[in-house]
Amino acid sequence: SSARANGARATTLCAPRGRDARRAGPGRRRERRGRDARRWNDARGFARGARGDDEDEDDEEADDASGSFDESAPRDWAGKVRWMPVMDVRRETEESPTLAEGELVMPMFPLGSHVYLPDTEHVLNIFEPRYRSMYNEILFNGSRRFVVPMCAPNEPGKFASVAAVFYLDDLKEVSEQTNDQVKFVCSHTVIERVRVVRSLNDRVWGDRSSFLKVVTEKFEDCDLDDDFTNKETALEERFRALIDMQEKVDEPIRFTKDVELAAPISAKRGKMGFWRLVNLWQSLLQSRVTHRENELQAGIQKMLRKFLEDSGVDLSDGRQLQLSFESIPTDIRAEIQRMNEQYGEERVELLNSAIYPFQYLVQMDSHAERLDYFGELVSEEEKRLAAKNTLRAMFESTE
C-alpha cells in the first residue's frame, strides 16, 4: 500500500406549493436524464433483490416476463458499477494528450475498495516514492488535487470511472521524525466527483515507476435546479425514526442520539447534508463487519479456553498460550473450520453491502435518485429490525 488512512471518517458507534417543484434544467442535463434513469433502475436491482418482499405488480410482472430476477442467484454487486477499462501496461503512454472542452488531466491515487464520499475529510500517511512525487507536483502546480477511485476488490488494475476528488488542505513533512518511513502526513477534503474519460500512462501501473494520470470531466447532478424538499424531509424523518428503532431492539452496532449533536439530521444538498447521512451509514456497515469478525474470534477463543481448562491448564493468571492447530482435538478443529466457512460466506455479503451501494450513490447524477435509493437502504434496515423485534417478542412470550 502506498498510503495509510487515519481517522477522519465519521464513527457512529457507539417543496414549494406542497410538493417537489421541478423546473427544466439545461439542455445537456435533460439529455442525460433518460440515460441515467436506466442506470438508476439497474442499480435499484440491488435493493429489490435484498429485500425479498413484494414490489408493485408491474415490476413483478416485468421481472417474471424477462426472467432477469432470481432471488436464489448470487447478487451481481460489481455489475452495477461503471468501470474504467482495466489497466493495460502494454498501452502506449499519451505524453501530450488532446483534451476536449471541459476535460482536465489529474493524478490518480487508488486507495483500495473503500468508497470516498463528497464532503468527507481524510488523512493519509505518504511513504511510497511515486506518491511523494505526486504531492510535490500538485503543490508545485498549485492544483492540490487528485482523483481517488474505488478499486474493484480482488481485481487489480480495475477502477470505478466515477470517482472522488481529494483536495489537499494541509501537508506536514515528517520524514525526520519517522526516520524517513513516512514522508508526509496529509489532510484532505473530498470536494467533488469526476468521471474518468481515459487513463494516460497504464504502463506505470505495472512497473510502479510513477503515479497514474487520467483525463477527467466534471461530474455534476442533472437536477441541480430542482427542489426536493418533500423527499428530503421524508428521508430525514425516517432516519430519526430508525435511530429510535435501533435503540428499541438493542442493536449492538447502531446510531446513537449523539448523531444530531454534531449537526441536525439533513438530507439536503451541501455540507453536513445528504452526504453526511451516507457517511454515517457507511460507518455503521463497516462497524458491523468488524463486530461480526470480533464475534467469530471470541467464539473460537471461548471454545479453546474451555478445551484448555478441561485439560487442566490454569489460565487464571491471564497469560497467553500458543496452540498449534494440530494439537487441538479433531472435533474442535472441525467446529472451528465450520465456523470459519460459515462466516466466510457471510463476510462476503457484509463487505459487499459496505462497499457497492456507496459507489452506486457516488455515480448517480441525480439528487432525487440518490434520495430514493438511500430510502431503499433505510427500508432494508427497517424490515430487518422489525423482524428482529418480532422474533424477540416471540421468544419473550414463551419464557
Side-chain angles (χ1 to χ4, degrees), residues 119-134:
D119 301 326
T120 54
E121 298 176 353
H122 306 277
V123 177
L124 301 177
N125 296 332
I126 306 302
F127 51 88
E128 191 172 336
R130 56 177 168 166
Y131 293 114
R132 296 183 183 191
S133 298
M134 184 194 80

Side-chain angles (χ1 to χ4, degrees), residues 16-199:
R17 296 179 299 281
R19 64 180 179 179
D20 292 336
R22 300 179 62 88
R23 302 193 304 275
R28 184 180 178 188
R29 293 179 185 164
R30 286 198 300 271
E31 290 171 5
R32 289 161 61 182
R33 286 189 190 276
R35 180 192 68 212
D36 289 290
R38 289 191 295 274
R39 289 171 174 161
W40 158 237
N41 288 332
D42 286 343
R44 288 182 70 245
F46 150 71
R48 183 171 67 242
R51 281 206 306 273
D53 63 333
D54 292 340
E55 285 285 298
D56 60 66
E57 294 180 2
D58 290 340
D59 284 345
E60 288 180 349
E61 291 171 3
D63 285 332
D64 290 341
S66 66
S68 61
F69 178 57
D70 180 2
E71 290 188 13
S72 64
R75 206 175 296 166
D76 182 16
W77 294 91
K80 307 299 187 291
V81 175
R82 301 180 215 164
W83 300 105
M84 295 172 52
V86 177
M87 291 286 108
D88 181 358
V89 297
R90 299 165 300 180
R91 277 191 60 217
E92 192 83 15
T93 297
E94 290 188 56
E95 300 290 354
S96 302
T98 301
L99 303 179
E101 183 179 356
E103 291 182 343
L104 183 68
V105 174
M106 297 176 69
M108 188 169 80
F109 191 171
L111 284 170
S113 59
H114 181 79
V115 179
Y116 291 91
L117 304 171
D119 301 326
T120 54
E121 298 176 353
H122 306 277
V123 177
L124 301 177
N125 296 332
I126 306 302
F127 51 88
E128 191 172 336
R130 56 177 168 166
Y131 293 114
R132 296 183 183 191
S133 298
M134 184 194 80
Y135 276 88
N136 286 331
E137 179 172 303
I138 64 173
L139 284 171
F140 182 76
N141 65 26
S143 68
R144 303 180 71 94
R145 64 195 70 195
F146 53 91
V147 179
V148 181
M150 183 195 94
C151 304
N154 305 315
E155 295 187 68
K158 186 175 181 179
F159 311 117
S161 64
V162 179
V165 174
F166 274 39
Y167 182 84
L168 177 62
D169 296 312
D170 184 58
L171 179 147
K172 291 184 173 64
E173 162 72 68
V174 295
S175 54
E176 188 172 324
Q177 298 95 306
T178 64
N179 197 26
D180 208 36
Q181 293 300 302
V182 175
K183 177 70 171 177
F184 303 129
V185 174
C186 305
S187 302
H188 314 80
T189 301
V190 178
I191 58 170
E192 61 181 346
R193 297 167 295 157
V194 293
R195 187 179 73 84
V196 177
V197 178
R198 67 184 186 277
S199 55

